[in-house]
Amino acid sequence: MSTPETYRSCPLPQKGEAWALFLDLDGTLSPLKEKPADVVLETRLLDLLQQLHQRLDGALAIISGRSINDLSRLLSPLELPLAGQHGAERHDEVNGYSLSEPDYATLHEAREELRRFLDAHPELELEDKGASLALHYRNAPDKQPTIERQLDSLRERLGDALIMHGGKSVFELRTTSCNKGEAIHHFMQAAPFAQRSPVFLGDDLTDEDGFEAVNALGGYSIKVGQGETRARYRLDDTHAVEAWLKTCLEQWPSR
């Protein structure tokens, strides 16, 4: 993994080079908020995404831990290719909507137990995405050890069917092995993404699979923010992401 001292300057499109652009949302396109529902994408950013989507002949997709319904709400009126819940859901013009079916019984047990846990810890937030769960503790960072003990107990009871991983003040729970790297590989197999150089921007631990995927495909992996990473390039924050995207748009010839 690389550290903040070893990253390289971010690439810019070169003449004759075709990119497929994959973007995380929270912490990459938008600053993180105390509650996921508080995130709003500014009109100028939506306009920029629309222009990039057109300039890339449609080869721009959002790869997020959010559900596709939530992504569609945030991105409206744009209609972009989407991968939600870390790739468990996908939607694009070629294949339509697809879902890797979760183990609903295991998720139901986890959901009910966590709801009882939240009765004693109302400062926490449980986000039910349908095919996965997210336990947010941004408002109570001191509760992390308590949450980890609760989740360890839950995992011991439910077994390997329940997959858990941490992120920025959040623990994700799911029953499918889908990840953002697999989602990128899926998009890269068909038009308009195929035969292009993949570029992925993300900020969190769940984005590392995406970085690994584009590295293997000879593309450009870009970490947003600090911390060790498999990404080969880095941008400081969401403001730097927007500025870089604007510069990329200026580099591509208009049609």
Side-chain angles (χ1 to χ4, degrees):
M1 288 201 176
S2 63
T3 63
E5 291 75 27
T6 61
Y7 70 87
R8 291 176 281 174
S9 299
C10 276
L12 289 171
Q14 301 300 308
K15 185 177 180 180
E17 184 179 31
W19 279 10
L21 188 56
F22 301 101
L23 302 169
D24 174 47
L25 194 145
D26 294 277
T28 299
L29 292 176
S30 172
L32 295 172
K33 300 290 186 181
E34 290 186 358
K35 297 182 178 180
D38 292 339
V39 170
V40 176
L41 299 184
E42 300 292 340
T43 300
R44 71 174 188 281
L45 180 59
L46 293 175
D47 290 342
L48 176 59
L49 293 175
Q50 177 67 16
Q51 292 178 70
L52 287 165
H53 183 249
Q54 293 174 345
R55 196 68 58 86
L56 291 170
D57 296 323
L60 182 154
I62 305 299
I63 314 287
S64 173
R66 289 179 181 261
S67 69
I68 279 183
N69 282 340
D70 204 17
L71 290 173
S72 297
R73 175 187 63 81
L74 283 169
L75 291 161
S76 180
L78 302 187
E79 295 184 2
L80 304 176
L82 304 172
Q85 303 192 62
H86 308 286
E89 295 183 287
R90 293 189 299 270
H91 184 269
D92 60 70
E93 292 183 0
V94 175
N95 300 299
Y97 177 81
S98 64
L99 171 68
S100 295
E101 291 286 344
D103 180 340
Y104 288 110
T106 297
L107 278 180
H108 175 74
E109 289 192 50
R111 183 186 302 110
E112 292 305 303
E113 184 164 326
L114 288 176
R115 282 175 175 168
R116 291 191 291 270
F117 177 65
L118 262 65
D119 287 341
H121 302 281
E123 67 275 25
L124 307 180
E125 180 181 359
L126 182 63
E127 182 184 7
D128 188 346
K129 305 176 186 180
S132 61
L133 304 168
L135 184 58
H136 298 272
Y137 59 97
R138 193 169 301 280
N139 290 330
D142 60 308
K143 295 293 184 180
Q144 181 175 346
T146 303
I147 296 168
E148 289 179 340
R149 287 194 295 271
Q150 175 66 27
L151 294 181
D152 286 343
S153 174
L154 182 62
R155 178 66 184 275
E156 287 178 7
R157 189 166 65 79
L158 296 181
D160 292 338
L162 190 65
I163 300 169
M164 296 189 292
H165 54 83
K168 292 181 177 178
S169 300
V170 64
F171 286 99
E172 301 271 358
L173 295 84
R174 51 198 171 93
T175 61
T176 67
S177 60
C178 299
N179 60 57
K180 294 184 178 183
E182 291 180 0
I184 289 172
H185 277 293
H186 172 83
F187 281 123
M188 291 296 295
Q189 291 172 9
F193 300 92
Q195 308 304 314
R196 291 170 174 261
S197 296
V199 182
F200 177 53
L201 279 71
D203 73 300
D204 210 343
L205 291 174
T206 57
D207 298 310
E208 293 296 323
D209 293 312
F211 298 149
E212 188 172 10
V214 299
N215 289 345
L217 292 168
Y220 302 107
S221 51
I222 303 173
K223 164 83 170 181
V224 181
Q226 300 301 304
E228 291 191 353
T229 181
R230 295 185 180 94
R232 294 172 175 166
Y233 304 89
R234 194 182 300 264
L235 290 166
D236 288 339
D237 52 28
T238 59
H239 298 294
V241 169
E242 185 173 348
W244 180 78
L245 289 173
K246 288 179 180 177
T247 302
C248 289
L249 181 63
E250 294 168 357
Q251 293 285 110
W252 280 305
S254 59
R255 295 183 180 275

